[in-house]
Amino acid sequence: MQTLYRSLLNVLPRLGVQVLDLGSGTAVLSRRGKRKRVVVGKEADLVTRGSGRYAVTRVRPDTWVVARGRGDPSDAWTNVRLGDTGAHLLYDAGSDERSLQLAAATYLCGHHVAGLLEKYEVNCVFDVGANAGQYGRRLRGLGYTGRIVSFEPTEEAFAKLEKAAKDDPEWWVFPFALGREEATQSMHVGWATMNSLLGASDYGKERYRRFAKDRTEEIEIRRLDSVMDKALAGLTDPRPYLKMDTQGYDLEVFAGAGDRIGEFVGLQSEVAVLRLYEGSPAMSEAIAAYEDSGFGITGMYPVTREDTTGRVVEFDCVMMRADAAPK
């Protein structure tokens, strides 16, 4: 015999009420629009409006990720448990391996740096080669609240940098470059984020078509040791960190610190395995110079790789001074 509950469910559609029967004495009633059931787990269902497709990925026994517009509902994300950290990596099974690796490296590098800034009690980050402020925004997004001092010499990029920092009183910006000697020099611009004081190498021209269009801009160069007092003004116990991303010019920036390089508790430099710029140092030369000044490697993260060979072109090298670690 049909129960009163079941009889009612059968009658309601005649009265203009949509019924989605979930079983076990549970139903969803709606006046407008069709509802659809997506099974999430043994004890959970997702009720959606319309006929859109959804995919469900189980992360933990009590946690699921629901994605809309994934095509086949069975096409869920790939879930990888990251050791015993409690963290999980979710990615599209169709993701390009190279893109996935580089994106993961960017995230891991940022996470690593943020942890070191906290551990070493860094209160001032020198952001050399700031471009439009990408690095500063990333630091803020990762929770760093100390001072950022950014240097960007090109007119177009500096305008964007200034806009990015305008509402942040602890983010200072300066419209000049840093180097070994104070001078005015022509800089190659128009290469998107890859503007450089050095010309493109034959390898660089082969790799990037953007290097074919070359124009220059006169920029000012100062020494790092000449601007440190101003950058650190007001800090009771300065503990600076030096980030350099100057397209082959990092070692020149480093040299401009002179004896005051010993005041930095750590640094981050883009080091080249395959050189994109004429006259830029090899990775081994750059790292040797940093190590000679007391810095030790804490992390190496690929920035770019060749599509055809898989070889790394450049690494983000993160280094800290072990004797600067708080006891």
Side-chain angles (χ1 to χ4, degrees):
M1 177 181 291
Q2 194 174 52
T3 64
L4 178 61
Y5 168 78
R6 185 61 53 187
S7 298
L8 182 60
L9 291 186
N10 291 335
V11 169
L12 285 173
R14 302 175 195 171
L15 303 176
V17 178
Q18 299 289 334
V19 176
L20 178 62
D21 187 0
L22 301 178
S24 303
T26 304
V28 174
L29 309 181
S30 59
R31 292 286 297 179
R32 297 178 182 177
K34 186 177 181 181
R35 299 298 187 269
K36 181 179 177 182
R37 176 190 186 189
V38 178
V39 178
V40 174
K42 290 183 178 179
E43 299 177 356
D45 292 285
L46 174 68
V47 177
T48 68
R49 180 184 298 171
S51 57
R53 292 180 178 272
Y54 294 82
V56 178
T57 302
R58 182 173 181 269
V59 180
R60 292 193 294 259
D62 58 349
T63 307
W64 297 267
V65 173
V66 179
R68 183 180 181 183
R70 300 276 298 159
D72 187 336
S74 66
D75 183 22
W77 298 91
T78 297
N79 171 35
V80 179
R81 182 180 175 186
L82 299 180
D84 296 325
T85 64
H88 291 253
L89 172 65
L90 295 176
Y91 68 93
D92 188 333
S95 299
D96 169 67
E97 181 271 341
R98 173 180 170 277
S99 299
L100 177 64
Q101 290 278 344
L102 294 179
T106 298
Y107 170 78
L108 292 173
C109 182
H111 192 271
H112 176 58
V113 168
L116 289 173
L117 296 183
E118 182 178 3
K119 179 179 178 64
Y120 280 75
E121 300 174 355
V122 169
N123 53 14
C124 184
V125 173
F126 284 70
D127 173 22
V128 186
N131 197 257
Q134 299 93 319
Y135 188 81
R137 286 196 297 268
R138 192 176 304 135
L139 285 184
R140 291 296 190 234
L142 289 166
Y144 173 71
T145 59
R147 182 175 299 172
I148 302 171
V149 184
S150 295
F151 302 87
E152 174 52 50
T154 64
E155 186 176 344
E156 183 179 348
F158 182 77
K160 295 176 181 177
L161 171 64
E162 199 170 31
K163 184 177 180 180
K166 69 180 179 67
D167 295 325
D168 189 334
E170 279 302 302
W171 187 354
W172 301 359
V173 298
F174 294 95
F176 51 81
L178 298 178
R180 187 184 298 267
E181 298 179 354
E182 303 208 341
T184 299
Q185 192 171 326
S186 294
M187 185 173 217
H188 301 273
V189 297
W191 295 343
T193 60
M194 299 174 71
N195 301 327
S196 178
L197 281 158
L198 304 175
S201 67
D202 289 339
Y203 173 75
K205 292 174 183 176
E206 182 181 339
R207 177 173 174 80
Y208 291 110
R209 286 183 291 179
R210 70 184 72 173
F211 287 150
K213 296 181 179 180
D214 190 14
R215 62 183 178 87
T216 60
E217 182 179 318
E218 290 294 300
I219 58 103
E220 180 185 358
I221 304 174
R222 297 188 189 178
R223 283 179 58 89
L224 178 54
D225 56 10
S226 74
V227 301
M228 285 180 63
D229 287 341
K230 183 174 183 179
L232 298 172
L235 297 177
T236 304
D237 179 22
R239 294 184 62 79
Y241 176 87
L242 176 60
K243 168 265 180 183
M244 299 173 287
D245 182 2
T246 60
Q247 306 307 312
Y249 211 69
D250 287 12
L251 211 51
E252 297 296 300
V253 175
F254 183 81
D259 294 337
R260 297 196 68 175
I261 196 63
E263 298 178 33
F264 288 88
V265 302
L267 65 83
Q268 182 176 344
S269 175
E270 195 170 81
V271 295
V273 182
L274 302 171
R275 284 179 278 190
L276 298 171
Y277 306 96
E278 284 293 339
S280 63
M283 180 175 73
S284 57
E285 179 185 350
I287 291 178
Y290 303 148
E291 289 180 332
D292 285 346
S293 293
F295 298 94
I297 296 174
T298 64
M300 295 282 286
Y301 301 91
V303 177
T304 50
R305 291 193 327 192
E306 289 184 328
D307 292 339
T308 53
T309 68
R311 293 187 300 175
V312 174
V313 179
E314 294 166 312
F315 282 99
D316 257 333
C317 178
V318 182
M319 309 182 78
M320 302 302 290
R321 194 184 295 282
D323 58 11
K327 301 296 187 292

